[in-house]
Amino acid sequence: MNRLFGSVRSRATLGATLVVVVALFVTGAAVLQALRSNLTAEAGTQAEGTARAVAAELAARTPYDQLSGLDSKSGPVQVVDEDGNLVAATEDLRWISGTVTDQVRPRPSSSPSPSASASAPPSAPAREDDDDDDDDDDDDDDDDTEAPRTPGTPKAEESEPALAPGETGRQTTFGSGAATVDDDTADYRFAAVDVRTHDRGLLTVYAGAPLAAEHSAVRTALTVMLIGFPLLAALVAGMTWVVTGRALRPVAGIREEMAAITASEDLTRRVPEPETHDEVARLARTTNETLAALETSVERQRRFVADASHELRSPIASLRTQLEVAAAHPELLDLDGAVEDTVRLQHLAADLLLLARLDAGERPVDARVDLAALAREEAAGRTGVTVDAEPAEVAGSRGQLGRVLGNLLDNGRRHARETVSVSVRREGDWAVLTVADDGDGVAEADRERIFERFVRLDAARSRDDGGAGLGLAIARDVAVRHGGTLTAGAAPSGGALFALRLPLAPAT
């Protein structure tokens, strides 16, 4: 189970399906509620129409037995006097609930005398909403939980002008219940309307409209939802599974190719790049760029090891030869040559160690170094070196920056005819140190290659004079680690010009 839902495809499918299921559930509930409310309101409007029609006939002094709304085709109708007695009802009414009385057979009404009718204060019918006084709100008061009320008795918080004889109440009270008419039991929406008659006092007409259409529509909609929603959720899950699988197919190819590269250790291979412009394509391109950088780094390390082994072999072989000759013929020992080879070997080992630390990402110490003072210090004791420097402080390692300047001066002295000039100046937020010689210079095509490790442009010169070809490589690496640059160009005198640019240290 954990493996199944551990994939992006499974989680995406599950998440999309859950979102759709929740959305369908909320939407379905809202649709059912809206459908039920609309159909219930429609039934209430129908019931109100029947109740007002009967009330109008009562206001017109129509006898009970001649009321047109009491036939069984109009639904259950009750006419109740102000004492709660049933005075008229639908033919074939067998049972009823949801109105003020459950009586189905009319009882004789004690009609008030004219004097009593004149002296008794008229009562207003109850209404649903005590804040609504407009005629347009008759259809809005349809609270199903409305409790039956005594005819002619208003709610405690309601007050409505008393009805005049022959007048029908403006407010309509709605409620829900059930009734049995002609042996057919069904649910109804009831509407209650008050009417003040001339000779029978205050009467309340209860008329019901069937809710069968509402129940049928709700059941049909619910059945459709119970069948359609699972099918729709399954369709969404299937489509999400297919679409996600196609979208992630290049990722599977990238993973398989990366596993093959790891197993074969062949860094020349590349992962497939899809013909799209989405995140997967960018991932493939970034992966290939990473592989290319890794291949370059590994190849550089291999070449470095091979070149270092080659460079170390010569002084070691020379030193061994001298020691073997000295062991056999002490009088032939070249002590100066042995010391020179040992010093050269020591310098080479130090250069290799520094390069290894730089490749490992060693950060320079955060110290303030005055390039002008450093230039004068490195130039001291070297013949033919002139210094023209203004104060310029940079942040970094004094030892490493001194190594850069020393390597540049050694390189200049090896190729200069007579002089090497050093200058230090400030250019905006940068300190610029230049070392120029009056030698033959560096060809433009070789001005980048000379910074590669173990590169010597003059193949004919001896290693004793030219070194191992690591000085300029070390100088550039140190410059980069200090946030600067080291470039080669042409000096005004025709020789080589090396420019070291470093950011000035912030003012204290």
Side-chain angles (χ1 to χ4, degrees), residues 406-467:
N407 289 352
L408 295 178
L409 291 175
D410 291 341
N411 181 78
R413 284 303 307 154
R414 277 197 298 270
H415 299 89
R417 294 189 179 91
E418 294 182 358
T419 61
V420 175
S421 59
V422 180
S423 69
V424 178
R425 65 183 184 278
R426 300 162 64 98
E427 292 183 358
D429 295 333
W430 295 86
V432 182
L433 183 149
T434 60
V435 177
D437 61 66
D438 57 356
D440 296 333
V442 182
E444 186 174 356
D446 297 326
R447 288 176 183 172
E448 280 298 315
R449 199 166 71 86
I450 59 176
F451 293 106
E452 297 179 6
R453 299 174 183 183
F454 301 104
V455 170
R456 285 182 293 271
L457 298 182
D458 188 2
R461 77 181 183 217
S462 66
R463 284 185 172 86
D464 295 339
D465 294 334

Side-chain angles (χ1 to χ4, degrees), residues 105-379:
R105 291 290 180 267
R107 297 179 181 179
S109 176
S110 56
S111 300
S113 63
S115 60
S117 299
S119 60
S123 301
R127 57 179 178 172
E128 182 89 6
D129 188 354
D130 60 331
D131 293 329
D132 193 352
D133 293 328
D134 296 332
D135 293 338
D136 296 338
D137 295 337
D138 291 346
D139 296 338
D140 295 336
D141 301 327
D142 56 353
D143 187 2
D144 290 346
T145 60
E146 175 84 26
R149 60 178 175 81
T150 302
T153 304
K155 295 180 182 179
E157 66 274 15
E158 293 176 344
S159 61
E160 184 179 355
L163 296 177
E167 184 179 0
T168 302
R170 294 179 302 169
Q171 303 298 328
T172 303
T173 302
F174 294 93
S176 296
T180 301
V181 180
D182 196 13
D183 297 329
D184 185 13
T185 303
D187 294 330
Y188 290 89
R189 183 69 169 170
F190 288 103
V193 176
D194 292 336
V195 57
R196 173 72 66 176
T197 62
H198 293 81
D199 55 350
R200 288 168 286 189
L202 180 65
L203 302 177
T204 302
V205 180
Y206 290 90
L211 293 175
E214 182 259 348
H215 292 334
S216 177
V218 170
R219 281 195 300 268
T220 302
L222 183 59
T223 302
V224 171
M225 291 178 184
L226 292 177
I227 297 176
F229 283 3
L231 294 178
L232 183 58
L235 178 62
V236 170
M239 291 298 297
T240 305
W241 181 267
V242 172
V243 172
T244 307
R246 290 185 178 182
L248 295 177
R249 188 175 301 165
V251 177
I254 294 173
R255 185 196 62 79
E256 293 173 359
E257 187 63 23
M258 287 297 295
I261 292 173
T262 303
S264 63
E265 298 183 358
D266 183 6
L267 296 178
T268 61
R269 300 173 62 173
R270 296 293 182 267
V271 300
E273 296 186 13
E275 299 286 338
T276 57
H277 301 283
D278 54 9
E279 291 80 359
V280 177
R282 291 195 289 271
L283 172 64
R285 286 191 290 270
T286 303
T287 302
N288 284 334
E289 292 172 359
T290 302
L291 289 173
L294 184 60
E295 180 187 7
T296 302
S297 177
V298 171
E299 182 61 28
R300 182 181 181 186
Q301 292 297 328
R302 290 174 179 172
R303 188 169 62 249
F304 176 75
V305 173
D307 292 341
S309 300
H310 179 74
E311 294 294 333
L312 288 171
R313 183 170 54 187
S314 296
I316 291 176
S318 175
L319 184 59
R320 177 181 177 181
T321 300
Q322 295 181 51
L323 293 176
E324 289 177 348
V325 171
H329 305 283
E331 69 278 3
L332 300 179
L333 174 62
D334 184 6
L335 187 59
D336 293 337
V339 171
E340 184 178 349
D341 284 340
T342 303
V343 172
R344 199 165 128 234
L345 187 61
Q346 182 181 10
H347 288 168
L348 181 58
D351 289 344
L352 294 176
L353 179 60
L354 178 57
L355 283 173
R357 293 205 307 267
L358 293 176
D359 288 342
E362 179 181 288
R363 298 181 61 84
V365 295
D366 190 12
R368 302 177 72 89
V369 180
D370 186 0
L371 288 184
L374 185 63
R376 295 188 183 93
E377 180 182 326
E378 290 294 331

